Amino acid sequence: MQTLISMLILASFACMLQANQAPKEYPTGEVGRLVKLGEDIVANTDTHPLTKDFVGNKLQCKSCHLKGADGKVGTGEGISSWVGTAATFPAWSKREKTVQTLQDRSNNCFMRSMNGKRPIVDSEASIAMATYITWLSEGTTIKMNEKGPWSEHNTKLYPKNVKKFNAIQKKATHQNYLAGQEIYAQKCATCHGTTGAGIPGAFPPLWGKDADGKWLSYNTGAGMSKLDKAAAWVQSNMPLGQGNSLTDQETADVVLYMNAQERAPFDLKEHLLPKEEAGVYNSKVFEEKHTVESNFKILGLDLKQIKNGK
C-alpha cells in the first residue's frame, strides 16, 4: 500500500511538472515565427529592437514570469505562470474596469512593471508576445475569467494570498521593517544586491536608480509595488528555487522593506502614447497616480514611521 501511495504521489508530481511545460514543438510557418519572436521579446524585453523603446527600466518579462524546468519563460510553478493564461481571456479587470484582451494585459505591464510606454496593441511585438503566451496554453480548456485577468492556476493561488497579506501588512510597524531588512540581507541581497540594483544579465533590480539617475525597476503603479500583491508573488517564487519556504510574516516583512525603498512614481497619463499613435486604450480609468507613500497609506501605514520608527 505504501508503495502504491508513493507511486501515485510521484505520478501526480510528474503531471504537475508536465502541465507547466511548454509544448514540445513550435508551430510551423508564420505562426511559429511569431511564437519564437515573442519568446525572444519576453526574455530580452529591455534590449529587443521591437520593445526597447517602450521600456523605462532594466527589467524583462522574465523578471516576474519565471522560467520553468523546461527553460521557457513563463512556465515556472509559482504565481505568474503563463501556462493556461491565454485560455482565460478575454477577462475582467477591476483596475481598468473593462474586459481586457491578452494583448491589453501584456501591454499594460509596460506602463507599470517596465516603467515605460504602452505599446500599440496591433503591433508585431504585441501580437508576438500574445502568440507565445497562447502557445504555452495549448491544450488548456477555454474558460474566460469573470473575477480577474489570471489563469486558472493563478486564480487558485493569487486572490486568497493577496487577501491574507493585506491583513498582515495593515499591522506593520517599524520592527517589521527592521526584520525585513535583515531577511533581505540574509536571503535576497546575494542575487539582488545590497542596494537593490540586481546583477546585470543575471538577477533583476528591485529599486533605485543607476549611475545616470535612471530608474532600475518597477514603478509605484505596478502590482509588485503593492505590499499585499508583492507578498503573494514573493512567497510563491522566492528565494529562487525555494518558493513557499518563507513564512507569512517573513514574506510580509521583506516586502515591506523592499517596497519602502525609492522607486519611480506613477502617473497613468505619462505612460500612454498620444491617441493618434496608440489608438484606443481599452480602459474606463484615465486618471491614476501612485507614490511609495500612497501605496503605504492605502493600507493605513505611514511610510516615514515605518522606516524611521517615529
Side-chain angles (χ1 to χ4, degrees):
M1 176 62 74
Q2 186 65 39
T3 301
L4 177 60
I5 292 174
S6 298
M7 290 175 64
L8 289 172
I9 291 172
L10 288 172
S12 176
F13 182 67
C15 287
M16 287 176 62
L17 287 177
Q18 186 175 9
N20 264 39
Q21 290 182 345
K24 298 298 183 183
E25 296 182 0
Y26 291 99
T28 59
E30 192 65 8
V31 174
R33 183 187 74 83
L34 279 178
V35 169
K36 294 174 183 177
L37 176 60
E39 184 176 11
D40 191 16
I41 289 172
V42 299
N44 304 287
T45 325
D46 63 328
T47 57
H48 195 282
L50 294 182
T51 51
K52 64 180 183 179
D53 292 337
F54 296 97
V55 179
N57 58 22
K58 295 298 182 182
L59 297 184
Q60 306 89 27
C61 297
K62 69 179 180 183
S63 300
C64 291
H65 302 281
L66 305 179
K67 292 182 179 181
D70 59 3
K72 298 293 185 183
V73 176
T75 63
E77 292 291 321
I79 292 174
S80 79
S81 169
W82 275 333
V83 176
T85 294
T88 64
F89 281 86
W92 167 252
S93 173
K94 182 179 179 181
R95 185 176 64 193
E96 279 79 27
K97 302 191 186 309
T98 58
V99 174
Q100 298 272 293
T101 67
L102 179 57
Q103 287 188 58
D104 285 328
R105 181 66 172 173
S106 296
N107 290 4
N108 289 344
C109 280
F110 280 79
M111 299 193 294
R112 300 167 186 273
S113 297
M114 303 292 183
N115 191 38
K117 299 283 188 179
R118 188 176 191 267
I120 300 169
V121 168
D122 56 359
S123 64
E124 185 175 41
S126 177
I127 295 170
M129 288 185 289
T131 304
Y132 173 71
I133 296 170
T134 301
W135 178 61
L136 295 182
S137 302
E138 281 195 345
T140 307
T141 301
I142 294 176
K143 184 175 176 56
M144 291 188 290
N145 200 330
E146 301 171 2
K147 297 180 180 180
W150 321 299
S151 68
E152 182 179 2
H153 167 79
N154 290 336
T155 299
K156 292 177 180 178
L157 298 175
Y158 188 62
K160 67 178 182 180
N161 284 328
V162 170
K163 185 177 180 179
K164 172 183 71 175
F165 282 114
N166 184 281
I168 294 172
Q169 297 290 38
K170 284 180 177 178
K171 301 175 183 178
T173 68
H174 178 58
Q175 293 305 312
N176 294 115
Y177 176 84
L178 295 178
Q181 186 177 32
E182 183 63 25
I183 294 167
Y184 182 86
Q186 292 177 357
K187 300 190 176 185
C188 311
T190 300
C191 294
H192 297 290
T194 57
T195 64
I199 299 176
F203 300 104
L206 299 180
W207 70 79
K209 298 179 180 179
D210 64 15
D212 297 321
K214 295 181 180 179
W215 294 107
L216 290 169
S217 195
Y218 54 87
N219 63 39
T220 55
M224 279 296 290
S225 73
K226 314 305 179 186
L227 297 176
D228 46 5
K229 294 178 179 180
W233 187 94
V234 167
Q235 187 175 56
S236 179
N237 293 290
M238 294 289 129
L240 190 62
Q242 303 174 53
N244 296 306
S245 64
L246 295 176
T247 68
D248 290 350
Q249 194 61 61
E250 286 175 330
T251 306
D253 291 349
V254 75
V255 167
L256 184 78
Y257 172 75
M258 176 179 74
N259 278 340
Q261 309 310 315
E262 186 183 32
R263 67 184 64 256
F266 179 76
D267 183 342
L268 176 62
K269 290 183 177 180
E270 295 178 355
H271 296 274
L272 292 170
L273 293 173
K275 189 173 182 180
E276 57 270 21
E277 295 180 30
V280 176
Y281 171 44
N282 179 24
S283 179
K284 293 182 179 178
V285 177
F286 297 94
E287 297 277 350
E288 185 184 346
K289 295 182 179 181
H290 304 284
T291 63
V292 175
E293 289 82 0
S294 69
N295 281 344
F296 273 65
K297 188 175 181 180
I298 200 170
L299 293 183
L301 304 175
D302 183 292
L303 176 64
K304 291 182 179 179
Q305 188 177 48
I306 291 292
K307 293 185 74 171
N308 303 320
K310 56 183 178 180

